[in-house]
Amino acid sequence: MSRPDNEAEQKDGYGERLKEITAVLKKHSITRGVSPEKLRLILEDLGPTYIKLGQLMSLRSDILPKRYCDELMKLCSDVPPMPFSEVIEVLEESMGCPWQAEFKEIQERPLGSASIAQVHRATLKTGEEVVIKVQRKGIYETMARDIGLMHKAVRLMPPVSIKGAVDLNMVLSELWTVTQEEMNFLTEAANISEFAKKNKGVAFVKVPILYREYTTTHVLVMEYIDGIAINDKEKLLQNGYDLNEIGSKFVDNFIRQVIEDGFFHADPHPGNVRIRGGKIVWIDMGMMGRLTERDRELISQAVEGVALNDIGKIQDAVLALGEFKGKPDHSKLYQDIQDLMEKYGTADIGNIDLAEVMVDLMEVMKENKIMMPASYNVLSCEEMTYTEGGATFTEALLNWIPPIGWYMGVTAMRNYRKSHPNDWLDTGLDALSRDMDSSAQNMLRDLGRIVWVTATSATGVGLLVNAAIVLL
């Protein structure tokens, strides 16, 4: 087919798709506004590309009203699988050879099929059990077209809708950036390697083995993980697991990823966290979050401000973190934070839900037209309060004290390390714990640092008790 014919065909396809989108918008009476439920139904009718966009939008509680995020969380990404012949075509094109040259077997029925890719179980010729993640053929071009068309469709939206509350064009642009990263499997491979390196010393965490020699932009090969879904309480109990231990270690590790590493799993819903051999296995690292040292310090400052009922500390952190749509109204922001503190001000530090604090702070920022940078998206309610059957993800596992005290304890430890890099504490603990395994050594060091820091702080006793509960 000649180039002009190709361009004409693409133009026709573009026009047809625009007609489809317009028809869906008319069907749902978009000129009368867009409620949360209506937005979800529109995205479902528009198909897999828009369902994926909706799922990503559900993570944007910093700029979308919470009721919209909650509704978009209901979107299901399961889509009909692409034909196995297409899977083989993409795989062989990426490998540059027949699939039989490297694989003994590839199961035709996929383990899962989503809008961007699908996963098949397979066996390497060398005998290892693996999974192959294969990108849908032409998905990049399809999503680029659909997002471009959505930009056009946004112009049709009336003022009486969510358009006035958020900059949808900006949201679409950010979503496209995130989607492009997720469609590059070499990026996910790099994420797996980095995550594995940062969690190497965590005895209860496992990361699937990556087979980099078979991995390309469109194909990812890694160790097959069976195990038990982390929210399958019945099966976990049948296999002798302690739900309290699993829950505390899950939250412990996730918060360590955020505060200590500044590199964390950005989609930790139950489908991406499994239990195998007594370890928590993190899978699917196409979306990861990053926080700079400054980011972490400011978040710690905000959380500490909540715990200490220090409105000024919270306000300073919010102003430093946020991006403004206009000149901030300091008096209104102060009053809104003060109203927020009436909710938490008298609460015991151990009973403050960190996730709820983050959600409420997001709402305050939106009310004051302050936008959080994209790197903060996944620290909203969706990550720590994933809902499953009406209960939060963590509550579905156990009734465990939310770790705000632990959070502050680790913050104190980080500050201690920076100001006392080579003092008697590290030296003494090194000598004392020489014969312990690495996890016991780390626990002893952390507990020692907490004792030292909390002994000299106004909230020392409370922090020590909460941190010690987690560490021991």
Side-chain angles (χ1 to χ4, degrees):
M1 182 182 291
S2 66
R3 180 165 182 156
D5 288 340
N6 241 337
E7 291 176 351
E9 184 176 316
Q10 289 176 356
K11 188 174 181 180
D12 288 342
Y14 197 91
E16 285 300 313
R17 184 57 171 153
L18 184 57
K19 287 180 182 178
E20 292 175 7
I21 292 173
T22 303
V24 170
L25 297 179
K26 287 181 178 179
K27 170 188 171 183
H28 290 280
S29 303
I30 195 169
T31 55
R32 298 179 184 175
V34 182
S35 66
E37 183 181 13
K38 184 185 288 188
L39 179 60
R40 175 179 60 80
L41 293 173
I42 288 173
L43 295 175
E44 286 177 343
D45 283 354
L46 289 173
T49 297
Y50 288 99
I51 289 174
K52 179 65 178 180
L53 291 177
Q55 290 174 322
L56 293 172
M57 288 171 70
S58 73
L59 301 177
R60 294 309 310 260
S61 64
D62 58 319
I63 56 178
L64 281 178
K66 185 178 182 297
R67 63 186 187 279
Y68 285 89
C69 291
D70 291 344
E71 188 68 30
L72 293 179
M73 285 289 288
K74 300 176 183 177
L75 288 167
C76 177
S77 62
D78 290 341
V79 297
M82 60 178 165
F84 188 63
S85 59
E86 284 189 17
V87 172
I88 295 301
E89 185 179 345
V90 174
L91 180 61
E92 292 185 339
E93 186 176 311
S94 293
M95 293 172 52
C97 62
W99 68 267
Q100 293 91 343
E102 302 292 350
F103 296 92
K104 183 186 299 183
E105 177 192 11
I106 300 176
Q107 293 186 7
E108 185 169 340
R109 183 176 181 179
L111 295 173
S113 178
S115 53
I116 289 178
Q118 65 187 51
V119 177
H120 290 259
R121 189 172 177 179
T123 306
L124 293 173
K125 292 198 79 172
T126 48
E128 293 90 346
E129 294 293 317
V130 299
V131 292
I132 310 173
K133 184 176 180 179
V134 181
Q135 189 170 125
R136 285 183 176 272
K137 192 173 182 180
I139 188 62
Y140 187 97
E141 292 77 14
T142 299
M143 295 197 78
R145 179 201 65 188
D146 280 3
I147 290 178
L149 289 170
M150 183 60 92
H151 275 292
K152 288 180 176 290
V154 165
R155 302 191 191 111
L156 301 175
M157 296 181 68
V160 187
S161 67
I162 62 171
K163 184 176 180 181
V166 298
D167 184 346
L168 287 181
N169 278 305
M170 183 205 69
V171 173
L172 288 169
S173 296
E174 288 193 11
L175 292 178
W176 177 231
T177 299
V178 172
T179 303
Q180 287 180 90
E181 291 178 359
E182 197 172 351
M183 286 190 289
N184 185 349
F185 291 174
L186 291 177
T187 299
E188 182 172 352
N191 290 340
I192 294 171
S193 297
E194 184 175 355
F195 190 86
K197 182 178 180 181
K198 290 184 181 297
N199 286 275
K200 186 176 181 180
V202 184
F204 59 83
V205 169
K206 175 175 173 55
V207 181
I209 297 169
L210 171 69
Y211 292 87
R212 189 174 288 275
E213 62 270 35
Y214 307 117
T215 297
T216 67
T217 304
H218 301 108
V219 173
L220 183 70
V221 180
M222 70 183 79
E223 175 187 5
Y224 170 70
I225 299 292
D226 45 9
I228 306 170
I230 195 170
N231 65 335
D232 191 341
K233 292 190 294 183
E234 186 176 337
K235 201 166 185 179
L236 287 170
L237 290 171
Q238 288 175 354
N239 282 268
Y241 284 105
D242 183 333
L243 298 186
N244 284 293
E245 182 182 4
I246 291 173
S248 62
K249 286 181 175 179
F250 167 78
V251 178
D252 168 78
N253 183 244
F254 182 74
I255 296 181
R256 281 181 184 274
Q257 292 171 34
V258 176
I259 331 176
E260 291 286 284
D261 301 334
F263 180 71
F264 53 94
H265 200 297
D267 194 19
H269 63 73
N272 287 339
V273 189
R274 303 188 72 80
I275 305 298
R276 190 183 80 171
K279 296 187 177 185
I280 298 173
V281 187
W282 295 85
I283 59 177
D284 191 356
M285 299 187 188
M287 290 176 59
M288 302 295 289
R290 289 186 186 274
L291 295 173
T292 65
E293 181 75 15
R294 175 180 176 274
D295 294 334
R296 285 174 273 164
E297 288 177 356
L298 289 171
I299 290 175
S300 298
Q301 179 181 324
V303 174
E304 184 178 353
V306 172
L308 301 178
N309 198 16
D310 188 334
I311 298 172
K313 187 181 283 286
I314 301 171
Q315 183 176 32
D316 289 344
V318 167
L319 290 171
L321 285 169
E323 298 172 356
F324 306 98
K325 296 179 182 178
K327 186 177 180 180
D329 185 336
H330 290 260
S331 60
K332 183 181 186 305
L333 177 60
Y334 190 93
Q335 182 60 52
D336 288 346
I337 294 175
Q338 191 172 48
D339 292 342
L340 172 65
M341 289 311 300
E342 290 181 2
K343 179 178 180 180
Y344 298 107
T346 58
D348 180 79
I349 188 173
N351 293 319
I352 298 176
D353 188 331
L354 177 59
E356 188 176 356
V357 172
M358 292 296 294
V359 173
D360 288 343
L361 279 176
M362 293 281 194
E363 290 299 311
V364 167
M365 295 180 81
K366 279 184 288 189
E367 285 293 321
N368 287 269
K369 301 188 184 303
I370 302 172
M371 294 178 58
M372 291 284 274
S375 58
Y376 293 80
N377 302 346
V378 292
L379 291 180
S380 61
C381 58
E382 288 72 31
E383 298 314 309
M384 294 297 289
T385 60
Y386 177 89
T387 57
E388 181 69 30
T392 66
F393 179 19
T394 307
E395 288 171 346
L397 293 171
L398 69 155
N399 180 23
W400 192 67
I401 296 176
I404 192 168
W406 185 97
Y407 185 105
M408 292 179 63
V410 174
T411 299
M413 286 187 282
R414 291 179 63 249
N415 293 335
Y416 177 85
R417 290 193 188 105
K418 288 163 61 177
S419 58
H420 302 77
N422 295 300
D423 71 353
W424 63 269
L425 184 60
D426 278 315
T427 304
L429 288 173
D430 281 341
L432 181 62
S433 62
R434 188 174 295 122
D435 296 328
M436 297 180 177
D437 62 29
S438 61
S439 61
Q441 290 175 1
N442 290 336
M443 181 184 295
L444 182 60
R445 287 194 185 93
D446 285 348
L447 184 57
R449 292 185 183 109
I450 292 174
V451 171
W452 189 93
V453 174
T454 55
T456 60
S457 70
T459 55
V461 177
L463 295 182
L464 178 57
V465 170
N466 280 276
I469 286 173
V470 177
L471 289 171
L472 300 177

